[in-house]
Amino acid sequence: AQRVTQPEKLLSVFKGAPVELKCNYSYSGSPELFWYVQYSRQRLQLLLRHISRESIKGFTADLNKGETSFHLKKPFAQEEDSAMYYCALINYNQGGKLIFGQGTELSVKP
Amino acid sequence: DSGVTQTPKHLITATGQRVTLRCSPRSGDLSVYWYQQSLDQGLQFLIQYYNGEERAKGNILERFSAQQFPDLHSELNLSSLELGDSALYFCASSVAIGTGSDTQYFGPGTRLTVL
């Protein structure tokens, strides 16, 4: 079954510390993975997608097919990074619906 | 701003009632998706429309229905509302049918409260 797992419900770090938000997936085929960010339960904003290999707001994520992971990383956390982060994969077998993980709340303390 | 609009922003209603949520996709996007976000279930896919046709169905209750109109806006109808239907309902749109490099852009959501 297709599934996305974010093992940490809450991650708390100090400003300037490195951050790694974990995401593991289960998908038969070649996955397309995304990270979305949600500030204060407002709209979901696309942070990055693995096929574009870009860095947004200092965040990067590498797809590791061997470990079936797509962890989100940032070397130096900022207070404005505090938000909910959702990892998602797109299920082509069902029209392109997004399957989301349960989300990780990142709290960056001053 | 993603370009996806949703109305209303907030909706408060009573059990047993029926409501309609509206979504306008980004200009040029043919696909519309509906998601429900609740504290216990997280983000769940409900249904997808592509150019007016239903494309995929997820965990959508029989009391819920949706449609996409010729101008590509979409409506999600929720009837016989129960307390457990209280949630944030998001609409997203994408250019095509969700393959390849297609990316879904989300609207601001409609917060439904059922009393």
Side-chain angles (χ1 to χ4, degrees):
Chain A
Q2 291 82 12
R3 186 166 50 241
V4 175
T5 305
Q6 293 178 251
E8 302 139 329
K9 208 167 178 177
L10 171 66
L11 186 62
S12 188
V13 301
F14 286 103
K15 178 182 169 183
V19 169
E20 182 177 61
L21 298 163
K22 291 185 166 47
C23 171
N24 289 90
Y25 66 89
S26 169
Y27 186 72
S28 53
S30 290
E32 293 285 347
L33 286 144
F34 302 80
W35 276 99
Y36 281 86
V37 60
Q38 187 179 34
Y39 300 98
S40 306
R41 282 183 75 79
Q42 294 178 20
R43 84 172 67 216
L44 285 153
Q45 299 176 34
L46 177 69
L47 186 59
L48 51 81
R49 50 187 182 174
H50 93 269
I51 56 169
S52 60
R53 294 181 169 273
E54 54 196 342
S55 171
I56 304 288
K57 299 184 181 181
F59 285 98
T60 58
D62 288 314
L63 179 61
N64 185 324
K65 289 187 179 181
E67 295 182 359
T68 59
S69 69
F70 187 55
H71 303 327
L72 184 69
K73 298 176 186 178
K74 184 168 183 177
F76 308 104
Q78 303 298 315
E79 287 179 70
E80 55 265 29
D81 296 329
S82 296
M84 280 293 291
Y85 290 81
Y86 291 94
C87 181
L89 72 78
I90 197 161
N91 186 340
Y92 295 131
N93 296 326
Q94 289 193 285
K97 73 173 191 179
L98 284 170
I99 299 171
F100 286 92
Q102 286 296 96
T104 297
E105 182 181 353
L106 175 63
S107 173
V108 181
K109 297 185 183 341
Chain B
D1 189 349
S2 67
V4 180
T5 60
Q6 288 186 250
T7 56
K9 207 167 181 177
H10 301 278
L11 203 46
I12 301 174
T13 188
T15 54
Q17 294 298 305
R18 174 190 166 94
V19 297
T20 297
L21 314 183
R22 184 188 166 102
C23 167
S24 292
R26 293 186 322 157
S27 177
D29 284 0
L30 299 178
S31 265
V32 169
Y33 310 75
W34 286 97
Y35 293 86
Q36 179 194 58
Q37 184 178 36
S38 60
L39 285 172
D40 53 344
Q41 296 289 325
L43 273 158
Q44 299 278 323
F45 168 76
L46 295 178
I47 197 163
Q48 178 200 2
Y49 278 82
Y50 173 72
N51 205 20
E53 300 285 328
E54 184 184 301
R55 180 87 173 94
K57 221 166 182 176
N59 302 324
I60 187 165
L61 300 170
E62 281 191 21
R63 301 183 284 108
F64 296 1
S65 64
Q67 57 184 130
Q68 187 178 27
F69 295 85
D71 67 352
L72 300 176
H73 90 271
S74 177
E75 291 181 357
L76 179 67
N77 300 297
L78 315 177
S79 60
S80 303
L81 286 167
E82 302 175 359
L83 296 177
D85 297 329
S86 295
L88 256 175
Y89 290 85
F90 285 109
C91 165
S93 74
S94 69
V95 172
I97 58 172
T99 59
S101 60
D102 211 14
T103 297
Q104 292 178 34
Y105 294 91
F106 282 76
T110 293
R111 186 176 297 278
L112 173 67
T113 304
V114 183
L115 301 173

